[in-house]
Amino acid sequence: MAPQGRLLIRGGRVVNDDFSLVADVLVEDGVVRALGQDLLPPGDAPQGLRILDATGKLVLPGGIDTHTHMQFPFMGSQSVDDFYQGTKAALAGGTTMIIDFAIPQKGSSLIEAFETWRSWADPKVCCDYSLHVAVTWWSDKVKEEMKTLAQDKGVNSFKMFMAYKGLYMLQDEQMYAAFSRCKEIGAIAQVHAENGDLIVEGAKKMLALGITGPEGHELCRPEAVEAEATLRAITIASVVNCPLYVVHVMSKSAAKVVADARREGKVVYGEPIAAGLGTDGTHHWSKEWHHAAHHVMGPPLRPDPSTPGFLMNLLAKRISAKTHHQAVNFNIFEGMVCHGVPLVTISRGRVVYEAGVFNVSAGDGKFIPRKPFAEYIYNRIKQRDQTCTPTPVQRAPYKGEVFTLKPRKMEEDDRAGTRVQGHS
Ligand SMILES: *[C@@H]1O[C@H](CO)[C@@H](O)[C@H](O)[C@H]1NC(C)=O
């Protein structure tokens, strides 16, 4: 990459997570070096210093898109955006980092999948990136590889699927094992929460009814299928005391489950996606096949038109006047989503997008390793471990008679019972 030089962003309102103020920002060698009023005295700018006038504008941290699938091979298809096109699009929207998913086939190595995704991404990425890794099957090898990925490869999040039966889906006991491992190695468990068994049955039912169009996609996996799996994942994670991140929460029912768990103090996060906030599933019933089909995703957009507002409101609980510094009288989220478009995007200290023009090359982005036991999450997990671990009741030991049950004998009795019933 070319030398990055120095950049002064002048006179904008700098917005951080805790407060905002009008200030200059000096960036040098890809790092923010100074923040303050009038960093540069009047007069000619020193050589090699580029000045961006941000008067009357917001200066925001680059966005991180935590859920992307670039050039993802899936059931014989592939995402149209590769790591070049997709990360360029990200920069145009002010997103300077993506987190994609390395997804191994059932039975194959997690580390190999991770290296494969890196080999696809490294030469192509225009913005920084990191990788989640999916756990699509369970074995001692998987368990070992998760540790290696967390300790040596910068992976601190693992995704488990409760849907895609026969392809990626894990059973409850495997989820329990995977969540337990996440806890041991300081990772966060992620779930695609939909009841995979019910989806298979639902699909059969829709086909039998002659429903083969995009509406069948939603009909075979209605809200309850998502809400049930969401609650199940939260229950398992809570038993293990492992932090949980529910990817793409798409329905009011599932969002309520997540919100309730959070109110109860569980370490659970629900992920919104733009589609779920911006539109709804009534489009599946469009008479135009293309229009309807373009709205298909899993879990599906919901036909209840009040869903986007409901999901947006839950987000607004998190980004609200309450969490802002008192003097601030505007809402960051509104500023970003409803009223603003990125004019300039800076990545690694360089202007990479300005007035609709890119100045970036494939491979300019870098892989960002993430460390295990992230404090933001694991401080709470540690606290819960300390306060929520049950202890035995102190009592005098039992001294009475002990009777041993004989399981094998009981099984035989059971079979005998079945035979008798069969003949009657
Ligand atoms: C593109 O970026 C390079 C490296 O920072 C810089 O030297 C060059 O002037 C930029 N080009 C444009 C058109 O801004």
Side-chain angles (χ1 to χ4, degrees):
M1 205 196 296
Q4 288 153 338
R6 299 163 78 210
L7 190 65
L8 183 72
I9 308 161
R10 221 176 195 179
R13 178 167 281 275
V14 180
V15 182
N16 271 324
D17 64 335
D18 48 354
F19 70 103
S20 79
L21 81 171
V22 173
D24 296 348
V25 183
L26 180 68
V27 183
E28 245 174 20
D29 299 325
V31 177
V32 172
R33 294 278 181 213
L35 175 78
Q37 252 84 39
D38 304 319
L39 289 182
L40 185 71
D44 289 341
Q47 235 194 338
L49 177 71
R50 171 152 187 217
I51 298 177
L52 282 174
D53 180 18
T55 310
K57 307 198 168 61
L58 299 178
V59 180
L60 300 162
I64 301 176
D65 187 337
T66 54
H67 192 145
T68 66
H69 292 285
M70 304 303 175
Q71 58 191 83
F72 174 40
F74 182 65
M75 295 178 166
S77 68
Q78 189 165 47
S79 328
V80 278
D81 278 315
D82 67 0
F83 277 99
Y84 176 68
Q85 193 63 40
T87 53
K88 254 178 99 166
L91 289 172
T95 294
T96 52
M97 177 172 169
I98 62 165
I99 313 185
D100 210 274
F101 293 84
I103 306 185
Q105 290 304 305
K106 209 167 147 180
S108 61
S109 159
L110 275 61
I111 293 174
E112 271 171 36
F114 171 83
E115 300 295 355
T116 301
W117 257 261
R118 287 219 48 188
S119 74
W120 290 340
D122 282 329
K124 286 190 179 176
V125 280
C126 297
C127 72
D128 290 345
Y129 80 104
S130 201
L131 290 171
H132 311 289
V133 174
V135 174
T136 53
W137 60 296
W138 191 250
S139 71
D140 286 343
K141 185 186 173 198
V142 171
K143 197 175 163 186
E144 248 346 271
E145 289 197 333
M146 284 173 76
K147 188 176 175 186
T148 306
L149 286 163
Q151 291 183 349
D152 307 333
K153 306 277 183 183
V155 176
N156 70 5
S157 47
F158 292 89
K159 180 177 181 181
M160 276 60 79
F161 292 87
M162 300 170 81
Y164 303 116
K165 190 175 179 178
L167 183 66
Y168 298 144
M169 185 172 122
L170 295 187
Q171 301 298 331
D172 287 1
E173 62 180 330
Q174 297 172 321
M175 294 229 299
Y176 183 94
F179 287 9
S180 301
R181 189 52 162 176
C182 284
K183 166 91 184 289
E184 284 164 7
I185 60 178
I188 188 166
Q190 301 176 296
V191 278
H192 173 133
E194 284 187 295
N195 185 318
D197 287 316
L198 288 185
I199 291 170
V200 169
E201 299 306 324
K204 285 184 207 158
K205 195 165 135 190
M206 291 312 134
L207 291 174
L209 289 169
I211 299 173
T212 57
E215 70 279 15
H217 177 71
E218 205 279 338
L219 290 170
C220 74
R221 51 212 291 165
E223 287 205 23
V225 168
E226 185 188 354
E228 182 276 328
T230 303
L231 181 60
R232 189 152 38 98
I234 290 172
T235 306
I236 297 170
S238 178
V239 168
V240 176
N241 190 22
C242 165
L244 182 71
Y245 180 105
V246 182
V247 303
H248 43 50
V249 175
M250 295 299 287
S251 65
K252 285 162 72 173
S253 331
K256 272 184 204 148
V257 170
V258 173
D260 286 348
R262 288 173 62 86
R263 264 196 293 277
E264 289 160 14
K266 300 199 169 105
V267 188
V268 179
Y269 304 88
E271 177 187 73
I273 65 163
L277 299 173
T279 184
D280 63 55
T282 52
H283 297 279
H284 294 136
W285 277 264
S286 162
K287 290 257 163 64
E288 241 184 275
W289 200 92
H290 268 278
H291 183 87
H294 274 109
H295 287 80
V296 168
M297 68 191 75
L301 289 164
R302 302 302 176 182
D304 178 347
S306 65
T307 306
F310 185 89
L311 297 177
M312 187 69 97
N313 275 340
L314 282 177
L315 284 185
K317 223 176 284 145
R318 295 186 58 186
I319 304 174
S320 76
K322 277 186 214 142
T323 60
H324 281 182
H325 195 271
Q326 266 186 333
V328 182
N329 64 356
F330 65 87
N331 180 303
I332 298 174
F333 198 72
E334 279 173 16
M336 291 195 303
V337 172
C338 307
H339 307 297
V341 286
L343 298 171
V344 175
T345 307
I346 297 161
S347 171
R348 304 196 145 264
R350 280 185 55 227
V351 172
V352 290
Y353 176 81
E354 186 175 12
V357 180
F358 289 99
N359 182 0
V360 72
S361 313
D364 277 356
K366 294 280 170 286
F367 176 77
I368 307 290
R370 292 171 296 135
K371 63 180 171 56
F373 296 103
E375 283 166 19
Y376 177 67
I377 289 166
Y378 266 85
N379 283 351
R380 286 185 60 204
I381 291 291
K382 274 182 224 155
Q383 271 171 8
R384 288 173 69 83
D385 267 341
Q386 279 159 13
T387 55
C388 304
T389 307
T391 51
V393 175
Q394 297 300 323
R395 56 164 81 87
Y398 175 71
K399 292 207 177 91
E401 202 181 336
V402 175
F403 180 79
T404 310
L405 297 171
K406 298 193 182 66
R408 189 167 297 163
K409 175 85 178 14
M410 280 172 65
E411 263 173 39
E412 279 164 16
D413 285 352
D414 241 49
R415 277 201 297 274
T418 312
R419 256 198 315 272
V420 171
Q421 270 175 16
H423 283 288
S424 61

